[in-house]
Each structure stands twice: as structure tokens, then as C-alpha cells.
Amino acid sequence: MAEEDDTRIRILQSLRGKICEGKNLGPCSGPNRQRDLCTFCTISLDQEEVFRTKVFDKSLSPFYGEDFYFEIPRPFQCLSFYVFAKGVFQRDLPVGKVSIRKEELCKFSGKEHWFGLQPVDPNSEVQGKVHLEMRLNELIIENGSMCQQLLVRIIECQGLPLISGQNCDPYATVSLVGPARFDQKKTKVKKKTSDPQFEETFYFEVTRPNSYTKKSHFQVEEEDIEKLEIKVDLWNNGNLAQDVFLGETRVSVKILRNDHIHRAWYLLQPKGNGKSKTDDLGSLRLNVTYTEDNVLPSACYTPLCTLLLKSPDIKPISASAAHILGDICRERYEAVLPVVRLLLHHSRLVSFVSAIAALELENTQEANTIFRGNSLATRCIDDMMKIVGRSYLTVTLKPVLDEICESNKTCEIDPIKLKEGDNVEVNKENLQGYVQKVFSSITQSSSSCPPLMCDVFRSLRQLASKRFPDDPHVQYSAVSSFVFLRFFAVAVLSPHTFQLRPHHPDLEVSRTLTLISKTIQTLGSWGSLSKNKLVCIHVFILTVSMSSLYLFYYREVQKRAQGRKRIGKNFKKRWLRVTNRELSYHKHRGKEALCIMPVKNIQAVEKLDESAFNRKNMFQVLHSEKPLYVQAGNCVEASEWVEVLSQVSRCNPDRLGTFHPSAYLAGAWLCCRSLSDSQPGCKPCTPTLLANLQLDIDCDRETERIFSLFTSSYSKLQKMEDACASIAVYQGPLREQDDYSLFTIQDSKETFHTVRQISHILKELQREHDTRSGTAQYGSQENPIVGKTS
């Protein structure tokens, strides 16, 4: 079983894009034309709705502008976008749809297209597949003549749609259809299942008895076979209501001319293949990117993953594999997300973001434009905040957003949009109250900010102050441009996107959230704020951009004197104290420190084997000098010390990769018996986990995504290699060329070296894909037949 898992290829699917806008929605003429049309859009995989936009008020050409992204957890045949008219006293009415078959999605990937709406016909709403077997049997009838009998076995179906949210009660009709024939048989009804097992066989006579004699050679009569077909229809049994059509497939009997047995899976099709002529129903502008990753076993990705994880250490950062990917895929948003996830999982993101932010600041000339563009650095930080800040948003915003959505007070202050009877002063007071609650929730939330976000904000503050030392406000605007404009304001505007609300708010609440969001965005500009609010924001930014563990940890411990070579009486009671800047120990609580160790010098914090000093609850603090050995009061305190010290030192650049789990005594390490006290550790250090951060990241899938992006941009990668070679050979500035001017090449030799490594790894990975992957046989369960077989 293990061997099978080692060679297994996982197929993972995702969908990303935007529902942009509609144009001239609804019938172009006649009594059904609605001028005050309130519409919304949905996305369905086959017949299962997976996404819904907000309702757009009274427009035949609405601008939706909603992004979507989701993993596709199951096989599907068709991706559909539906436009609905919002009903007031009745159910929502379908206006039209855009349906794209899975195999056609690649034609539209990554670019905006206008699609004409098609009618929503119940007979065209199908999904699922059917497994059939057909066979020709020779049959001798009573008078001794020979005829042929067609055996049709309907084995099973898979993926039939839900009916009113419930599993259907399916049955099938099997018909033999010809110019002058229509013989139909019916299976039993299977209760409450989308994957019915029928296992029923039906027999049809396909040649006339007098066509052959006993002595004639058995042959299929050509004119009959050419014109006959088997038609299978799936239905939901409606009991007292009308039966619902679920789909059909047609198979020509002539497929048995060369083989007397045919067995295959068929995709169910709309009735009459869904072809119909209708009036113009308008159009929908969509941007759709479908991704299918064939994920290989983990070992295949080790070289590429290792190269990417080295990115933060490469000097200059523009020569790193992660930056090169962002360079050659600069216009493709999907290139950033897998890099962020991969570096995040391996605790390498902060150092990478710091490096690319520093590179961006080198090219920033004005402090008031800091981090305002759509650069590699800003996109990485945006994605990081969306990934790690979900729980932070829930704690900070959800209670006040719930109150806003449920109390539903009117906050409209635009005179043009006021309704009859509205009082603008009351509305203004309502809006001010909501804004104050949101503002207070944000500025009092610093203790809930995830450590990783704190680390990134701290780095941005330091970099901004260094780049613009004469501007006292730049350290705040560097952080506020992300935390207010790109994080909190976006979450207030679209709470459903961050799972802060279960559904889109209604139109009035949505307008209120828009006004609050715009107000939150103004917090990024200092000129419009009162002194009190400015102080609140400064304190908030200072707090969230410090290490999140800014409170002191102060406990009595047993400390061993550093550097002692004998066991003896070397343990003494001391008070150990840690802040976000230093670790110190004191003879008495509150007295002057006997020793102070800067937190930035800590290289590792690990538990110590009990056998080292025959003491329990020991841990060690490794730094540039001798290790500090400490015995905590109990096992809980020992774990807390290790956690606290690991967290405050997690971003230190000189952290160790290995350590000795025991002590160096009597001229040797007790754990590995090495004689040198400077010998590198014999055990890997414990990875530093980010507090309050639980992520389920599939690193193989993310690396496969990166491989696909490199592969699809391989021509640009080659141009970058040519550009590096040109610089290295001529030792002069690169000539301005359209293909080269987009690349960031600070060190041509280092960049050239990385590009060559990437190219070599891509070739090896492609070889693995070619070796392991194979197309499923046409007609198999994985690759069912589409449409009518000829």
C-alpha cells in the first residue's frame, strides 16, 4: 500500500477569477422587459451553487466587480454563471446563464471575455455520468431462422444532481431508436441516491427474422445498424409531482460493427444537446482561470522547494528564485499566492518580505507614495494578511459587524440617495456611532494581532524610517497603508469574503458598510484626523509593529553558572525576566540585573535531557557565548519559558539549525560524545511555530503550482537568462529592450546562476511528469465519453 502511495499522482483543481459586469440584461423587448431589475450572479459546478454575489440595485447593466477563488473538491462537467432577478414577494427568477464545459475552460483562462447569456431551460440543467454495456447476441428463433439481439446493460450512474437540496430518486429509460422504431424499457426507481446502482439488462431485437436462413453466414444488416441508436434518459421520480429530467446520452449501435461488446462511461447531456434559439438576454463579462495540478510524490519537489526556501538568503534578493518567479509572472496574481504559502509554512516569509520591501523602498522617491502600488512586496503582504489574519478579523470586527447588520440603522448621508422620510442628521449620527465602534475595535485589538503580522509591520517601520529618516510620520504610514487600507477596510466592505458574515448583506446594509469602509481608509491619511484619533492610531501601530510578546515574563528559576565544567553546586536560585528586547536574571525580584542578554543574540531555545544534570524541567538558551542552562519550577513553566523565548527570538537572523540535547561535561558532549565544545549540534532544532496560527498548507501542491507557472513562463525565463549573459559578457549596462526592461537584474552573475538552476530543475520535474502521468482510456470512469458516439 505504501508503494502505491509513493507513486500516486493527485489531481487538484481550483478556480479563480472575477464576475465583472453585465450588459443589457433581460429580454430585449416585450412584456418581460424589466427596467428596474435588481440582479445578482451565482456560480455553479454542474448544478451545485458554490458562490453568490451581492444584489445590484436597479440596473440592466450592473457592475458586480466581485472576485472569487475556491478549491474544486470533486469532478465536474460544466461551470455555469447564472444571472437572477431578485424577487420581492416571489422566488428569484433566472435571467440567463453562461455555461462553459470543463474541457473548454482553457480557452478563456486568465483573460476577460464577454459571454452572451443563454436561457435557463430545465431540460438543459444536467450533470453526472452513466456506465453502459452493449452486446450483440446471435439468436435462433422458433422457425429455425437466425436473428440478432441487442443486449443493453445499464450498470450505474454517478454524480446526479440534488433535487431541492436532497438526493434524487432516479430511474432510467432505455430506448432503441430508429427511423421506424421506438422501443422503450424502464429500470426500477432507486431511492435517495445520486450514485444509483441499477445493474439491469434489457434486450432488443435488431434484425428481422426473415432476413436470414439457417445456412446463411451471420452478419449484421448494415442499413439497420447505421440508423439505430440506444438512447438512455435519466429521470427523478416525482411521485405525485411531475418527473424531472436529469440528462440523456445516445450511443449509435454501429459502434458494435467491429466489436460485439462495448462497455464505457458516458457523460449525461442536455435534452437535444441544449440547442435552442432565443431572444438576446444580454451578456456577462467574466475573467475565469481554471487550474488543474497533477501533484507528484513529495520527493519529486525537493530540489525546487529547497531552491525557493533559500530565496530570503540570496543577495541581492532580486536574484532569488521566488523573486524571479514574481518578475517573469509580474502581471499574473496567481504567482504570488503559492510562494507566500510555501514560505509561510516553512517560517521563511518575514525575511523574504523584508528583503523585497527594502528593494521596493530603494526605488521609492516620495514618502507619501510608500507601498501604494501593486508590487511584489505589497501583493505578498496582502496575501499574508488574508491567510494569517482571519481569526484576528473575527475577534476584532465580527461583533461590531453583526451589530451593524442586525440593527440595520439607516446611515445614508448623500442627499441624492436619501429616501422619503429620512433624516440626514439622524443618519449622520448613526454612521458616526458605527464608525467609532469600528475604530475603537481596531485600535484596541493590538494584543490579538498575529505574531507574524507584527513581525512584518515591525520590519516595514524600520525600513521606512531608514529610507526616509527626516519624515517622522513615514514609519506609521508604512504600516497603515496595509493594516487600514488593505486589511480592515476591505474586510468591512466585504465581510462575507472573510467569513465574518454568512451571506451578502442586503443593499441598505451594504451601503452602510461602504461608508464605514471609506472612513476607515481615511485613517491612512493623517491630515484629516483629530489629535486624539491620531494618538490612538500611533499607539496602535507602534504596538502591532512590536513583537507581540511585549509583556514581561518573570519567574524564579534554578540557573546554572555558565561555563562551569563540573556538576557540583553550580545551580543557584535566580529571577529570570524576559521582555521583547532582553533576557536577564536577578538575585532578587526587582533588583538590578546580574546579567543581560539581548533577545536578538538568542540562537535557539530547547529543552535539555534530564540525564545532563539529573534534574527535571531543564531548558537551555543558546547564544553566541556559553549556553545558559535553566531549571523551571515545573513542567508547565518549562514549556512556557521555551514557548515565550522561542517566540521573541523567532526572527533572529542567526538562529541555529541543530543543537546538543545534553551538556558538555568532562571534555565531551554527553549526547553524541563529540570532544570539541564547538562541534555543531547533533539534533535538528525544533521549528518555531507562530503563536495563534494554524495553517493547513499542502506544500507539494504549492510547489507544483510554482512549477506550472515557471513552465508557462519559460520563454521569459530564457530571455532573463539571455539578459544576464549579455550583461556579464559586455560588462556594461543592458541596452533598453522591451523584453529585458521588465526584469530586475542587480547582479547578473548571481541571477544567471539561479536561472540556470531553475531551468535544470524544471527539466527534471517535467521528466517525472512525463514518466508518471498517463491519459485515462477514453470511455473510462476518469475520462468518460462526451456526446454521441459515431
Side-chain angles (χ1 to χ4, degrees):
M1 192 70 181
E3 291 182 1
E4 291 179 2
D5 290 341
D6 288 342
T7 59
R8 185 172 62 92
I9 295 179
R10 295 180 294 141
I11 299 177
L12 303 175
Q13 309 168 98
S14 64
L15 194 72
R16 178 191 300 280
K18 175 180 280 190
I19 300 176
C20 303
E21 61 179 314
K23 184 166 62 177
N24 299 326
L25 301 181
C28 60
S29 61
N32 294 326
R33 183 64 161 173
Q34 301 180 52
R35 302 211 173 269
D36 295 335
L37 203 61
C38 297
T39 62
F40 63 93
C41 293
T42 66
I43 302 177
S44 292
L45 294 172
D46 297 324
Q47 295 309 298
E48 182 181 7
E49 183 181 315
V50 294
F51 180 85
R52 178 177 291 217
T53 71
K54 64 183 179 182
V55 177
F56 199 93
D57 193 18
K58 297 182 180 179
S59 174
L60 298 178
S61 296
F63 183 83
Y64 297 108
E66 290 210 29
D67 296 307
F68 58 85
Y69 172 81
F70 50 84
E71 300 290 324
I72 301 175
R74 61 168 177 80
F76 73 101
Q77 299 175 39
C78 192
L79 174 69
S80 299
F81 297 82
Y82 292 85
V83 178
F84 285 92
K86 182 67 178 176
V88 180
F89 301 110
Q90 56 183 351
R91 64 184 181 87
D92 301 331
L93 299 175
V95 175
K97 69 175 181 178
V98 173
S99 291
I100 310 172
R101 296 201 68 83
K102 178 181 175 181
E103 58 270 16
E104 296 176 344
L105 281 170
C106 59
K107 298 179 185 177
F108 310 106
S109 187
K111 296 181 180 179
E112 290 184 0
H113 294 268
W114 281 100
F115 296 87
L117 292 179
Q118 301 298 316
V120 179
D121 176 6
N123 288 331
S124 68
E125 307 295 290
V126 303
Q127 70 179 63
K129 53 191 172 184
V130 60
H131 195 190
L132 299 176
E133 181 181 302
M134 295 168 57
R135 182 194 306 258
L136 278 172
N137 290 335
E138 182 179 339
L139 186 66
I140 302 176
I141 60 175
E142 293 180 359
N143 62 6
S145 60
M146 299 174 65
C147 71
Q148 282 186 290
Q149 188 180 60
L150 176 64
L151 176 152
V152 180
R153 178 175 164 228
I154 179 166
I155 303 169
E156 61 179 314
C157 288
Q158 285 189 353
L160 298 180
L162 301 177
I163 303 296
S164 301
Q166 303 292 324
N167 280 327
C168 54
D169 296 333
Y171 69 90
T173 59
V174 181
S175 308
L176 179 65
V177 181
R181 303 186 60 170
F182 186 84
D183 299 336
Q184 186 178 88
K185 304 178 187 295
K186 178 180 172 182
T187 69
K188 295 177 181 177
V189 175
K190 300 295 180 180
K191 294 289 187 179
K192 304 301 179 188
T193 176
S194 295
D195 303 311
Q197 300 285 326
F198 289 110
E199 287 293 352
E200 293 193 43
T201 303
F202 303 100
Y203 300 92
F204 300 92
E205 184 183 311
V206 295
T207 54
R208 290 179 289 278
N210 58 3
S211 298
Y212 304 100
T213 64
K214 290 182 181 180
K215 297 180 180 181
S216 67
H217 180 67
F218 178 78
Q219 286 183 331
V220 177
E221 187 177 51
E222 290 292 330
E223 62 175 339
D224 255 359
I225 293 297
E226 291 291 337
K227 297 176 181 177
L228 293 177
E229 66 179 13
I230 287 294
K231 177 170 172 283
V232 179
D233 293 273
L234 271 296
W235 298 86
N236 176 65
N237 182 39
N239 293 322
L240 300 178
Q242 186 176 0
D243 292 355
V244 177
F245 176 75
L246 302 178
E248 70 172 34
T249 190
R250 295 169 179 257
V251 184
S252 176
V253 179
K254 68 182 179 183
I255 198 171
L256 295 170
R257 284 192 300 180
N258 300 321
D259 190 349
H260 286 291
I261 300 177
H262 173 71
R263 182 170 177 167
W265 285 86
Y266 286 85
L267 288 175
L268 294 174
Q269 302 293 309
K271 188 170 289 188
N273 280 327
K275 297 176 182 177
S276 60
K277 295 181 179 180
T278 67
D279 291 336
D280 180 14
L281 298 175
S283 54
L284 202 59
R285 183 163 62 91
L286 304 171
N287 187 327
V288 181
T289 297
Y290 167 73
T291 303
E292 184 174 286
D293 295 319
N294 294 286
V295 182
L296 302 174
S298 294
C300 299
Y301 297 111
T302 300
L304 181 56
C305 186
T306 301
L307 184 64
L308 289 160
L309 294 178
K310 287 180 180 177
S311 293
D313 305 322
I314 300 298
K315 302 288 190 295
I317 192 64
S318 60
S320 68
H323 192 282
I324 288 172
L325 178 64
D327 234 9
I328 64 177
C329 300
R330 186 169 292 180
E331 302 302 321
R332 303 184 65 183
Y333 174 80
E334 65 266 26
V336 174
L337 189 58
V339 170
V340 168
R341 284 176 172 162
L342 190 66
L343 294 176
L344 187 59
H345 181 81
H346 292 278
S347 300
R348 302 287 285 152
L349 183 63
V350 176
S351 51
F352 178 71
V353 166
S354 298
I356 60 176
L359 177 60
E360 179 175 334
L361 284 173
E362 288 179 17
N363 301 314
T364 302
Q365 303 304 318
E366 300 290 337
N368 59 3
T369 63
I370 192 168
F371 300 127
R372 293 301 173 96
N374 191 25
S375 65
L376 180 62
T378 57
R379 286 184 294 173
C380 282
I381 297 171
D382 281 349
D383 277 344
M384 176 275 296
M385 293 191 297
K386 289 175 183 176
I387 294 170
V388 307
R390 287 278 177 90
S391 59
Y392 180 33
L393 287 173
T394 300
V395 170
T396 305
L397 292 182
K398 187 172 183 0
V400 65
L401 289 178
D402 285 342
E403 179 185 344
I404 292 169
C405 293
E406 290 163 13
S407 61
N408 199 18
K409 294 180 182 178
T410 303
C411 297
E412 186 56 69
I413 55 176
D414 185 345
I416 299 175
K417 296 185 177 182
L418 287 173
K419 297 179 181 179
E420 186 177 350
D422 280 352
N423 186 318
V424 69
E425 292 302 321
V426 172
N427 291 359
K428 187 183 294 185
E429 187 177 329
N430 291 338
L431 180 60
Q432 289 175 337
Y434 283 153
V435 168
Q436 184 58 48
K437 286 185 178 182
V438 173
F439 179 79
S440 298
S441 297
I442 293 172
T443 54
Q444 295 172 13
S445 70
S446 55
S447 60
S448 302
C449 187
L452 188 133
M453 288 177 63
C454 294
D455 295 339
V456 170
F457 295 153
R458 178 179 57 185
S459 177
L460 295 179
R461 272 187 60 219
Q462 293 170 350
L463 290 168
S465 295
K466 184 178 179 180
R467 176 66 179 87
F468 299 102
D470 298 329
D471 189 330
H473 292 297
V474 72
Q475 60 173 318
Y476 304 109
S477 60
V479 176
S480 69
S481 63
F482 289 103
V483 74
F484 287 108
L485 274 67
R486 298 173 180 264
F487 187 60
F488 285 119
V490 176
V492 169
L493 185 64
S494 303
H496 59 284
T497 305
F498 296 87
Q499 284 79 54
L500 299 176
R501 294 289 297 173
H503 306 293
H504 281 279
D506 61 36
L507 293 173
E508 189 168 335
V509 173
S510 182
R511 173 63 178 164
T512 298
L513 296 178
T514 299
L515 294 171
I516 296 172
S517 178
K518 288 181 178 180
T519 308
I520 297 300
Q521 290 181 46
T522 64
L523 299 179
S525 58
W526 314 111
S528 60
L529 297 177
S530 66
K531 185 176 180 180
N532 288 339
K533 281 188 168 57
L534 193 59
V535 170
C536 287
I537 293 175
H538 280 194
V539 171
F540 169 70
I541 290 176
L542 284 171
T543 307
V544 298
S545 55
M546 295 170 61
S547 171
S548 60
L549 296 166
Y550 53 88
L551 297 176
F552 298 155
Y553 197 78
Y554 213 162
R555 292 282 175 86
E556 189 176 39
V557 298
Q558 293 279 350
K559 182 200 73 70
R560 183 176 187 268
Q562 298 183 73
R564 293 292 178 89
K565 297 184 179 180
R566 297 193 306 270
I567 295 180
K569 296 182 179 180
N570 295 322
F571 282 88
K572 296 181 179 180
K573 283 188 177 182
R574 292 289 183 261
W575 283 89
L576 198 63
R577 175 179 179 268
V578 64
T579 72
N580 61 333
R581 293 190 177 184
E582 61 189 33
L583 174 67
S584 58
Y585 55 82
H586 311 248
K587 189 171 184 179
H588 300 288
R589 183 185 178 103
K591 298 297 182 180
E592 185 178 348
L594 299 176
C595 178
I596 295 176
M597 181 191 306
V599 162
K600 64 181 181 181
N601 293 345
I602 296 177
Q603 297 173 324
V605 184
E606 298 287 347
K607 291 188 177 180
L608 194 71
D609 285 350
E610 185 178 330
S611 59
F613 300 106
N614 293 319
R615 288 171 177 258
K616 295 183 177 182
N617 308 319
M618 292 284 296
F619 66 91
Q620 54 183 319
V621 181
L622 305 177
H623 55 110
S624 53
E625 299 178 8
K626 298 293 181 181
L628 174 64
Y629 297 121
V630 181
Q631 182 184 25
N634 53 57
C635 61
V636 173
E637 286 187 11
S639 294
E640 288 176 349
W641 274 114
V642 172
E643 173 68 16
V644 168
L645 290 169
S646 295
Q647 287 296 323
V648 296
S649 64
R650 64 187 177 275
C651 295
N652 291 353
D654 298 325
R655 286 188 66 88
L656 298 174
T658 58
F659 77 104
H660 290 284
S662 195
Y664 183 80
L665 295 172
W669 288 102
L670 300 181
C671 44
C672 60
R673 309 310 303 174
S674 175
L675 300 179
S676 173
D677 62 349
S678 60
Q679 177 71 22
C682 56
K683 184 177 179 180
C685 287
T686 306
T688 304
L689 301 177
L690 294 170
N692 304 321
L693 181 61
Q694 296 180 345
L695 300 175
D696 183 16
I697 294 176
D698 185 341
C699 289
D700 293 342
R701 199 268 180 84
E702 303 305 336
T703 313
E704 169 62 27
R705 192 85 289 281
I706 292 169
F707 161 71
S708 298
L709 291 167
F710 269 130
T711 301
S712 62
S713 303
Y714 192 69
S715 62
K716 288 187 179 179
L717 192 67
Q718 289 179 311
K719 288 175 182 176
M720 178 178 273
E721 183 178 331
D722 293 342
C724 293
S726 176
I727 295 173
V729 169
Y730 295 108
Q731 296 295 316
L734 188 66
R735 289 174 302 170
E736 285 296 325
Q737 300 181 33
D738 291 340
D739 291 335
Y740 294 169
S741 60
L742 295 176
F743 302 141
T744 306
I745 303 175
Q746 295 173 286
D747 185 325
S748 59
K749 292 183 178 179
E750 189 68 34
T751 306
F752 181 82
H753 176 65
T754 305
V755 171
R756 292 301 296 268
Q757 285 181 288
I758 294 170
S759 297
H760 175 73
I761 290 171
L762 295 183
K763 290 176 182 176
E764 291 298 318
L765 252 177
Q766 188 59 57
R767 208 171 282 128
E768 288 284 353
H769 274 281
D770 294 341
T771 301
R772 294 171 182 269
S773 61
T775 304
Q777 182 180 355
Y778 191 49
S780 65
Q781 186 173 356
E782 296 77 18
N783 189 17
I785 297 171
V786 180
K788 190 172 177 179
T789 303
S790 57

